[in-house]
Amino acid sequence: MKIPDFRAGDTVTVYYKIIEGDKVRTQPFTGIVISKRGEGVSKTFTVRRIGADGVGVERIFPLSSPNIEKLVVEKTGKVRRAKLYYLRGKVGRQATKVKERFGDIIVASEPVAAPEALEETLAAEESGASE
């Protein structure tokens, strides 16, 4: 499986395969990446979320684990630190408050026309306006 590029501050959903006896199920875990560490095969990342009862829950996932079925980057975060351990001391909304990063994502609202087609359109508008 190809893991998408992500970094600390990004909100991700990790679909992790859980094996219980002879049953296999997939458990999604959504939260903010607070750290990436290690080298090579031992590389891991930590995802933190606030549970239903307001208690923080952290899970450490090995990046090269065969049990990770899918990893989806929900939002990209704009942070100034490589490790966001300070979020552990925050409570409520402050624990999940990270600015969103828009610079890496380029979204075109309309398809860009070729220069020749643009010149023809401008010429047609000018001739229509002069009549």
Side-chain angles (χ1 to χ4, degrees), residues 41-72:
V41 181
S42 64
K43 190 168 227 169
T44 62
F45 62 100
T46 306
V47 181
R48 178 180 174 83
R49 75 167 183 210
I50 303 300
D53 52 351
V55 177
V57 178
E58 290 184 11
R59 286 192 67 181
I60 300 171
F61 296 99
L63 198 60
S64 59
S65 172
N67 290 333
I68 295 178
E69 289 186 357
K70 184 168 55 167
L71 191 141
V72 178

Side-chain angles (χ1 to χ4, degrees), residues 67-122:
N67 290 333
I68 295 178
E69 289 186 357
K70 184 168 55 167
L71 191 141
V72 178
V73 178
E74 305 290 340
K75 289 191 310 187
T76 56
K78 180 180 179 183
V79 293
R80 293 180 165 189
R81 302 279 181 268
K83 308 286 189 275
L84 305 180
Y85 298 139
Y86 65 88
L87 291 178
R88 292 173 175 163
K90 304 287 184 180
V91 179
R93 172 80 175 110
Q94 294 296 318
T96 60
K97 194 173 182 181
V98 174
K99 289 183 182 177
E100 195 163 354
R101 185 178 72 234
F102 295 109
D104 295 346
I105 302 168
I106 300 171
V107 178
S109 58
E110 295 180 16
V112 179
E116 300 84 27
L118 186 60
E119 290 173 7
E120 292 171 7
T121 306
L122 290 175

